[in-house]
Amino acid sequence: MLKISIVGDEAAFDQAASSRIISQIVEKQDSVIGLSTGRTTGNMHRLVVEQYRRMLFDVSRITIFGLDEVMNVPRSYAGACYTMLKTEIIDGLGLDDSQFLMLPTESDDWYTACIHFEEEINERGGIDLLILGLGENGHLGFNQPGTPFESMTWTSQMNEELEARIRKETQLPSSIELGGVTLGIKNIMHARKIILVAKGANKAEIVRKMLEGPVSTEVPASILQLHPNCEFLLDEKAAQFLNH
Ligand code: GLP
């Protein structure tokens, strides 16, 4: 039985998602929490910071990491996952650099960078909570349709719209390749707890395929049907095509 939570509107959605992150921190003070960037998650991160300022729960032992990163742009670029997470949540919680793990945006040796990232997460006990956004084509992180379910942290492709936007914003010459470095599907499935978050009508069709279609590499997020502890948190618009 899939655990699907449908909340009314965007404000309720952001509230529900942020309270799940806070509960995780309060329940286990040395939690390792993975976050996703994008339009879906910015507000929930800011709400965590707002609540932190009121409640001052203990964040001195948590680790936060990013699920994925844009390749070959400066880390300081506003659309780099590092900078997004730093401005949305890391600085607001006053976390130390050692509490914030990210894949690099630039590297001469991506293979080693990926292994190192996995090792750092494992040394801290593995992933307690992973918040996953959902691509309109069903991607998780940068694991695009067709990615094998046994993939580990790796360098992948970007979806075309995102690539076009980043090229425009960074004025990157076409000679420089873009891409996304990301936890693989296998790493994702090893998280002890997952919350897949999707809001808005543009996600309604892929939400239906993810939850009601077959488990298939053509819809990477469909694998989450098989995770033993995954909650699908949706707003009404994203849930509008579901049959149950
Ligand atoms: C991007 C990121 C993902 C994110 C997803 C959803 O490509 N690589 O980590 O979860 O797309 O983004 P949005 O919430 O903006 O729809």
Side-chain angles (χ1 to χ4, degrees):
M1 183 68 178
L2 299 177
K3 186 175 179 198
I4 302 173
S5 307
I6 302 172
V7 291
D9 59 12
E10 203 171 332
F13 171 91
D14 294 334
Q15 191 65 50
S18 66
S19 69
R20 281 157 175 75
I21 298 173
I22 295 168
S23 298
Q24 178 65 45
I25 297 173
V26 171
E27 273 164 27
K28 184 169 184 257
Q29 292 187 355
D30 60 351
S31 285
V32 176
I33 301 174
L35 299 178
S36 297
T37 48
R39 296 155 297 178
T40 314
T41 52
N43 283 346
M44 74 179 68
H45 297 159
R46 286 184 274 272
L47 278 181
V48 171
V49 172
E50 237 175 65
Q51 288 300 323
Y52 171 70
R53 291 196 175 122
R54 277 198 210 112
M55 294 154 60
L56 287 179
F57 43 85
D58 187 357
V59 294
S60 63
R61 293 169 61 212
I62 63 166
T63 296
I64 287 187
F65 71 89
L67 165 73
D68 54 10
E69 185 53 286
V70 179
M71 290 165 67
N72 302 330
V73 298
R75 225 178 192 187
S76 56
Y77 159 53
C81 300
Y82 172 87
T83 293
M84 290 177 81
L85 287 177
K86 200 152 164 58
T87 50
E88 289 169 4
I89 187 165
I90 302 297
D91 287 348
L93 295 181
L95 300 189
D96 192 76
D97 283 349
S98 65
Q99 293 178 274
F100 181 34
L101 303 181
M102 286 302 289
L103 286 153
T105 56
E106 292 168 299
S107 174
D108 295 333
D109 182 355
W110 285 106
Y111 177 77
T112 305
C114 290
I115 300 270
H116 180 65
F117 186 65
E118 285 181 1
E119 279 172 359
E120 278 188 303
I121 291 173
N122 289 337
E123 274 162 21
R124 293 170 198 225
I127 308 169
D128 290 300
L129 172 66
L130 183 57
I131 307 284
L132 292 175
L134 175 66
E136 281 175 44
N137 63 358
H139 70 235
L140 295 176
F142 282 112
N143 296 288
Q144 304 294 349
T147 302
F149 287 148
E150 56 275 16
S151 61
M152 300 289 278
T153 310
W154 68 303
T155 55
S156 176
Q157 303 298 310
M158 223 173 239
N159 36 311
E160 276 171 26
E161 311 85 280
L162 186 61
E163 173 152 355
R165 198 181 80 209
I166 293 178
R167 279 204 186 276
K168 200 167 150 209
E169 285 177 8
T170 54
Q171 286 151 14
L172 208 67
S174 52
S175 56
I176 296 186
E177 255 184 64
L178 269 175
V181 57
T182 182
L183 279 193
I185 303 280
K186 193 165 178 178
N187 306 108
I188 288 172
M189 290 300 279
H190 279 160
R192 283 187 272 280
K193 183 174 183 185
I194 294 177
I195 302 176
L196 182 291
V197 290
K199 67 178 171 185
N202 58 324
K203 299 286 170 75
E205 183 54 32
I206 195 66
V207 162
R208 189 187 61 74
K209 285 189 183 150
M210 165 181 71
L211 294 172
E212 295 179 356
V215 174
S216 153
T217 53
E218 284 316 300
V219 180
S222 64
I223 189 72
L224 298 175
Q225 292 180 28
L226 304 180
H227 191 280
N229 190 9
C230 178
E231 178 185 6
F232 298 86
L233 178 62
L234 313 170
D235 75 349
E236 271 175 3
K237 287 184 180 153
Q240 63 184 310
F241 295 153
L242 293 181
N243 286 315
H244 32 254

